[in-house]
Amino acid sequence: MFRVGLGRDLHCLVSGRKFLLGGVEIPFEKGELGHSDGDLLCHAVTDALLGAAGLGDIGELYPDSDPAWKDADSLELLKKTWQRVKAQGWQLVNLDCIVICEKPKILPYRETICRSLAKALEADESRVFVKGKTNEGLGPLGRGEAVEALVVCLLEKEE
Ligand SMILES: [Zn+2]
């Protein structure tokens, strides 16, 4: 049995915050605003996995209103989520991610980000791919006020 999952997240970019993608800190003048550490790529991956496994969504499992998740390490949430998904018998076939922002360039960090996500999901690096896109200068993404992540994953289970 195969199941596909889709995840999407967007965070505002502000000064005085770390810019984290998939658990990797990227040197930049701004970072993601958020109740947690703001790592939107981890959030989108978490939602994609939960969606594919039919286990709910990130807002239900780790609500913003819960002080337990204040400044939470999103990579840890992702690892925890993967353990839940794996416990249902699912294996990761692949994960494909897009990060949309004008700056910084994602390419120099791509391998490190893929490795970090693959490690969190106990998967081979070849199963995880991350690409960066700009928004051609349009809208809040184009003005560097926000960053967006889109993720699709495929899970497989023996029936
Ligand atoms: Zn988020």
Side-chain angles (χ1 to χ4, degrees), residues 8-11 33-34 36 38-44 58 64 74:
R8 180 259 181 190
D9 199 15
L10 179 144
H11 280 242
L33 189 64
S36 66
D39 190 333
L40 82 163
L41 185 53
C42 282
H43 298 169
I58 192 169
D64 263 14
S74 301

Tab-separated table of all heavy atoms in Angstrom, residues 8-11 33-34 36 38-44 58 64 74, ligand 1:
chain	number	residue	atom	x	y	z
A	8	ARG	N	2.617	22.004	3.807
A	8	ARG	CA	2.936	23.367	3.378
A	8	ARG	C	3.031	24.214	4.643
A	8	ARG	O	2.269	24.014	5.595
A	8	ARG	CB	1.807	23.874	2.474
A	8	ARG	CG	1.987	25.277	1.929
A	8	ARG	CD	1.174	26.275	2.699
A	8	ARG	NE	1.329	27.622	2.141
A	8	ARG	CZ	0.884	28.711	2.745
A	8	ARG	NH1	0.242	28.627	3.885
A	8	ARG	NH2	1.090	29.896	2.205
A	9	ASP	N	3.973	25.142	4.657
A	9	ASP	CA	4.058	26.069	5.778
A	9	ASP	C	4.652	27.380	5.300
A	9	ASP	O	5.327	27.432	4.263
A	9	ASP	CB	4.926	25.469	6.900
A	9	ASP	CG	4.693	26.157	8.241
A	9	ASP	OD1	3.689	26.888	8.377
A	9	ASP	OD2	5.520	25.967	9.157
A	10	LEU	N	4.349	28.431	6.041
A	10	LEU	CA	4.883	29.754	5.737
A	10	LEU	C	5.166	30.458	7.062
A	10	LEU	O	4.364	30.366	7.986
A	10	LEU	CB	3.860	30.550	4.915
A	10	LEU	CG	4.242	31.973	4.525
A	10	LEU	CD1	3.694	32.297	3.128
A	10	LEU	CD2	3.717	33.012	5.510
A	11	HIS	N	6.307	31.090	7.167
A	11	HIS	CA	6.616	31.891	8.349
A	11	HIS	C	7.140	33.251	7.907
A	11	HIS	O	7.800	33.360	6.867
A	11	HIS	CB	7.688	31.215	9.210
A	11	HIS	CG	7.149	30.119	10.088
A	11	HIS	ND1	7.204	30.164	11.457
A	11	HIS	CD2	6.533	28.957	9.779
A	11	HIS	CE1	6.652	29.055	11.956
A	11	HIS	NE2	6.239	28.308	10.946
A	33	LEU	N	9.910	33.831	12.268
A	33	LEU	CA	9.127	34.143	13.453
A	33	LEU	C	8.269	32.924	13.747
A	33	LEU	O	7.777	32.269	12.834
A	33	LEU	CB	8.240	35.355	13.139
A	33	LEU	CG	7.475	36.000	14.289
A	33	LEU	CD1	8.427	36.588	15.313
A	33	LEU	CD2	6.551	37.080	13.746
A	34	GLY	N	8.091	32.612	15.028
A	34	GLY	CA	7.233	31.465	15.350
A	34	GLY	C	7.197	31.193	16.828
A	34	GLY	O	8.065	31.637	17.581
A	36	SER	N	7.372	28.153	17.974
A	36	SER	CA	8.470	27.184	18.105
A	36	SER	C	9.737	27.872	17.599
A	36	SER	O	9.780	29.085	17.474
A	36	SER	CB	8.172	25.960	17.242
A	36	SER	OG	8.182	26.342	15.882
A	38	GLY	N	10.541	27.910	14.677
A	38	GLY	CA	10.155	28.466	13.375
A	38	GLY	C	10.659	27.705	12.160
A	38	GLY	O	10.514	28.189	11.035
A	39	ASP	N	11.205	26.528	12.383
A	39	ASP	CA	11.773	25.755	11.258
A	39	ASP	C	10.645	25.213	10.365
A	39	ASP	O	10.144	24.110	10.562
A	39	ASP	CB	12.633	24.611	11.817
A	39	ASP	CG	13.449	23.903	10.752
A	39	ASP	OD1	13.018	23.899	9.582
A	39	ASP	OD2	14.503	23.357	11.104
A	40	LEU	N	10.270	26.031	9.396
A	40	LEU	CA	9.086	25.712	8.579
A	40	LEU	C	9.259	24.464	7.734
A	40	LEU	O	8.274	23.794	7.425
A	40	LEU	CB	8.677	26.908	7.716
A	40	LEU	CG	9.429	27.107	6.399
A	40	LEU	CD1	8.637	28.026	5.527
A	40	LEU	CD2	10.818	27.609	6.634
A	41	LEU	N	10.485	24.142	7.365
A	41	LEU	CA	10.679	22.938	6.554
A	41	LEU	C	10.360	21.699	7.406
A	41	LEU	O	9.665	20.788	6.944
A	41	LEU	CB	12.112	22.890	6.001
A	41	LEU	CG	12.423	21.747	5.044
A	41	LEU	CD1	11.430	21.682	3.885
A	41	LEU	CD2	13.843	21.865	4.515
A	42	CYS	N	10.810	21.692	8.648
A	42	CYS	CA	10.466	20.590	9.554
A	42	CYS	C	8.948	20.516	9.736
A	42	CYS	O	8.379	19.426	9.769
A	42	CYS	CB	11.131	20.768	10.915
A	42	CYS	SG	12.862	20.304	10.919
A	43	HIS	N	8.300	21.689	9.842
A	43	HIS	CA	6.844	21.697	10.046
A	43	HIS	C	6.119	21.113	8.829
A	43	HIS	O	5.191	20.327	8.978
A	43	HIS	CB	6.326	23.117	10.294
A	43	HIS	CG	6.894	23.750	11.535
A	43	HIS	ND1	6.754	25.085	11.837
A	43	HIS	CD2	7.619	23.208	12.547
A	43	HIS	CE1	7.370	25.337	12.985
A	43	HIS	NE2	7.904	24.221	13.429
A	44	ALA	N	6.549	21.515	7.648
A	44	ALA	CA	5.893	21.035	6.427
A	44	ALA	C	6.137	19.527	6.237
A	44	ALA	O	5.229	18.801	5.815
A	44	ALA	CB	6.394	21.823	5.223
A	58	ILE	N	-0.155	18.826	12.279
A	58	ILE	CA	0.795	19.382	13.256
A	58	ILE	C	0.102	20.304	14.272
A	58	ILE	O	0.436	20.294	15.450
A	58	ILE	CB	1.963	20.082	12.514
A	58	ILE	CG1	3.113	20.418	13.452
A	58	ILE	CG2	1.497	21.308	11.764
A	58	ILE	CD1	4.385	20.855	12.736
A	64	ASP	N	-0.058	25.494	18.983
A	64	ASP	CA	0.591	26.787	19.275
A	64	ASP	C	0.286	27.286	20.674
A	64	ASP	O	1.067	27.997	21.281
A	64	ASP	CB	-0.019	27.855	18.335
A	64	ASP	CG	0.845	28.082	17.136
A	64	ASP	OD1	1.733	27.257	16.914
A	64	ASP	OD2	0.614	29.085	16.430
A	74	SER	N	12.049	22.022	16.351
A	74	SER	CA	11.168	21.417	15.350
A	74	SER	C	11.733	20.129	14.768
A	74	SER	O	10.978	19.258	14.333
A	74	SER	CB	10.888	22.416	14.228
A	74	SER	OG	10.290	23.572	14.771
B	1	ZN	ZN	5.402	26.410	11.077
